[in-house]
Amino acid sequence: MCMAVPSRITAIDNGIATVEAFGASRTTSLMLLEDEVAVGDYIILGPGGSFAAEKVDPETAAEALAYLTEVLATGQA
Amino acid sequence: MVPLESGLSISLHLSEDRVERVEITSNRPVQASAMLDGRPPAQMLALLPTLYSLCGTAQGLAGLEAVENAAGIAAPAAQRMARHVLCLVEVLAEHAASVLRDWPVLLGEAMDPAAVKPLRPLVAATRKALYPAGDWTAPGGGRLAPDRRALDEILRRFDEILSRLFAGPPEERLDGYADFHAWVAHGDSVATRLLRRLDGEGIASFGRTAPCMMPEAGPHDLDRRLAGDCGGSYRSHPQCDGRVFETGPLSRHPRHPLLAALAARHGNGLSTRFTARLVEMATALRELEDLVQDLCDDSGGLAMGRTDGTGLGQVDAARGLLAHRVELREGLLQAYRILAPTEWNFHPQGPLALGLMGASGLDLEWRTALLAASLDPCVPYRIQVTGHA
């Protein structure tokens, strides 16, 4: 199902953000994101990762990432 | 792909240019919810909408219903109504996003970001307009204080979006076949262009199968099957008495006159399935307009009736039936299990796979993408065709 991984923005260039999660880096368009974002913010990507879907506050992102780290560590994924 | 983000792989195997086998594989982490075990329910419920953000409201509400059933909490009518509003707003926003973001791509057109951008914020705005403290997932009910002005504004914006899509009130296009047909023939929205293209290419019936629709109350054995699904095989490949149901807008509106008229012509093929999404957008908006009039305050905060028990939660999410099942042991979660609608619709013996069997033609990949989009999976997919002549 549609599990979402909060990803940290490491760079923004002309509406395209480079984001990082679990050591993987990729780019995503900010075209559909209503919120203003900056480097260091966390976002959730839509299916396929082409577009950023939502900005997530740092506390929620940290909590979600802690849970997802446990899932990865136990091999449930 | 980042670990934990999943996708579907759809492979069509041809023999003499016809699809003789459809293989659908997935790396969806159906067992991931086991990591919710041992947590207090309130903590988990607050986390769910972020973990499963695409349909975060439906996930939160299904978890909430499951926890409350397990804990012996009967949520007051005011809370149930507000939750239904939350659910319908997400259904409407997700369908609108699918139509405005994904349908242009199917037609080779550019999407209009300005049309899509406001949709997700409307979901968040509705949560805030109902539960200003942000506690809409609290077991026993959050502090419900509907902000009528904000809710009216949210519905006005949805009304604008739909009026633009339908070039007028949706009912005028969707109530009868003749009006619908005229709108499709002459309209200039992405919906009419898609439906007209299907007619023009002679593929309005593509993907038609013998109907096997999800019952309104869900599978009769859902609770028992989820309870016994320690290894996740049921959640990966659900079935009920040997049947794999189609779930989503079409299964939820079996008696809608326009969908019945389309089904008589095209079965449950592409046109009927795409139109079902439009119908559900229109009916959701009208239901919301009625519900919002009757919303009232509720302090919430009902205590757990028991600390041990089991509970099932079922929600009609945008893409179909979403089910959560939990066990409570001394007030903590155990055996947390989630069954998403995509597992039914993209089952190897489900509506997508059956709809593709025997298909042929040069544009098979495009038609497969259309059929997949008409069933709207919650994860991205790849299509591969092998065995071309």
Side-chain angles (χ1 to χ4, degrees):
Chain A
M1 67 204 74
C2 47
M3 194 160 249
V5 180
S7 303
R8 194 173 60 85
I9 299 177
T10 57
I12 298 176
D13 182 20
N14 203 22
I16 303 292
T18 304
V19 297
E20 184 276 331
F22 292 117
S25 193
R26 56 183 164 164
T27 56
T28 188
S29 169
L30 300 174
M31 183 195 281
L32 300 182
L33 196 64
E34 185 90 336
D35 302 303
E36 288 293 319
V37 289
V39 170
D41 285 342
Y42 285 89
I43 53 175
I44 281 173
L45 278 50
S50 309
F51 301 102
E54 197 172 319
K55 183 179 175 182
V56 185
D57 67 71
E59 295 76 25
T60 307
E63 202 180 345
L65 286 168
Y67 165 82
L68 295 168
T69 303
E70 272 185 70
V71 174
L72 274 176
T74 56
Q76 298 282 11
Chain B
M1 185 174 283
V2 169
L4 293 163
E5 288 184 346
S6 51
L8 289 165
S9 170
I10 303 163
S11 300
L12 312 185
H13 300 277
L14 306 188
S15 174
E16 295 179 358
D17 278 344
R18 288 196 174 275
V19 176
E20 70 159 10
R21 191 162 59 86
V22 179
E23 205 177 342
I24 302 175
T25 55
S26 156
N27 60 350
R28 297 186 296 283
V30 294
Q31 294 266 51
S33 59
M35 289 308 300
L36 298 167
D37 292 357
R39 291 169 189 259
Q43 182 199 37
M44 174 280 298
L45 290 168
L47 190 57
L48 270 179
T50 304
L51 290 177
Y52 300 97
S53 73
L54 190 60
C55 52
T57 302
Q59 296 280 359
L61 294 175
L64 185 55
E65 186 182 317
V67 165
E68 288 184 341
N69 285 337
I73 297 171
Q79 296 279 347
R80 293 201 306 274
M81 188 182 288
R83 292 171 187 178
H84 190 44
V85 167
L86 288 172
C87 184
L88 286 173
V89 164
E90 184 176 76
V91 165
L92 191 42
E94 280 296 307
H95 285 341
S98 166
V99 172
L100 299 169
R101 181 194 58 213
D102 302 339
W103 291 13
V105 176
L106 295 169
L107 288 166
E109 298 177 359
M111 131 189 63
D112 175 13
V116 183
K117 220 170 171 176
L119 294 170
R120 273 183 85 95
L122 288 174
V123 176
T126 309
R127 292 175 187 168
K128 196 174 165 195
L130 289 170
Y131 294 93
D135 54 355
W136 61 278
T137 59
R143 284 155 288 178
L144 172 60
D147 178 341
R148 277 176 209 293
R149 188 176 291 184
L151 289 163
D152 285 345
E153 174 59 15
I154 290 163
L155 295 190
R156 190 192 63 74
R157 293 188 65 184
F158 274 122
D159 193 52
E160 260 179 27
I161 293 165
L162 265 63
S163 295
R164 210 172 304 130
L165 181 67
F166 290 98
E171 290 75 14
E172 289 182 11
R173 316 296 179 211
L174 301 173
D175 274 359
Y177 182 77
D179 290 336
F180 171 78
H181 190 66
W183 172 61
V184 169
H186 305 292
D188 188 31
S189 73
V190 67
T192 53
R193 288 196 294 277
L194 178 65
L195 293 166
R196 204 157 55 227
R197 177 95 177 261
L198 300 180
D199 283 336
E201 303 257 350
I203 54 172
S205 305
F206 183 74
R208 177 181 191 153
T209 58
C212 184
M213 295 295 168
M214 179 67 74
E216 201 175 330
H220 68 85
D221 58 356
L222 183 59
D223 186 60
R224 181 175 60 77
R225 297 299 300 270
L226 283 174
D229 190 38
C230 301
S233 58
Y234 173 73
R235 278 166 287 164
S236 300
H237 298 108
Q239 47 91 9
C240 175
D241 302 328
R243 290 170 300 163
V244 178
F245 297 123
E246 174 173 344
T247 183
L250 186 56
S251 74
R252 289 195 286 248
H253 299 276
R255 286 174 290 279
H256 190 279
L258 174 60
L259 296 179
L262 285 169
R265 289 164 174 82
H266 306 301
N268 55 1
L270 288 176
S271 277
T272 312
R273 286 190 176 116
F274 279 125
T275 305
R277 185 137 347 123
L278 300 173
V279 164
E280 190 157 85
M281 289 168 73
T283 56
L285 180 59
R286 295 302 168 238
E287 192 178 350
L288 280 166
E289 287 168 347
D290 287 344
L291 285 170
V292 161
Q293 305 303 319
D294 297 329
L295 287 167
C296 54
D297 290 15
D298 185 80
S299 55
L302 291 180
M304 287 168 73
R306 55 179 180 253
T307 55
D308 293 82
T310 65
L312 180 69
Q314 296 186 81
V315 168
D316 282 320
R319 291 163 182 80
L321 181 72
L322 172 68
H324 284 215
R325 188 185 190 278
V326 299
E327 294 181 19
L328 277 183
R329 296 283 171 261
E330 298 178 1
L332 298 178
L333 297 168
Q334 295 295 327
Y336 203 111
R337 288 172 192 163
I338 300 176
L339 176 58
T342 296
E343 321 301 348
W344 292 98
N345 291 332
F346 290 78
H347 187 291
Q349 281 88 47
L352 179 88
L354 295 181
L356 292 168
M357 288 298 289
S360 63
L362 292 172
D363 58 351
L364 203 46
E365 213 166 305
W366 180 61
R367 281 182 287 148
T368 303
L370 284 168
L371 191 57
S374 76
L375 291 162
D376 198 17
C378 61
V379 291
Y381 53 88
R382 281 185 302 115
I383 298 166
Q384 194 180 14
V385 182
T386 60
H388 286 291

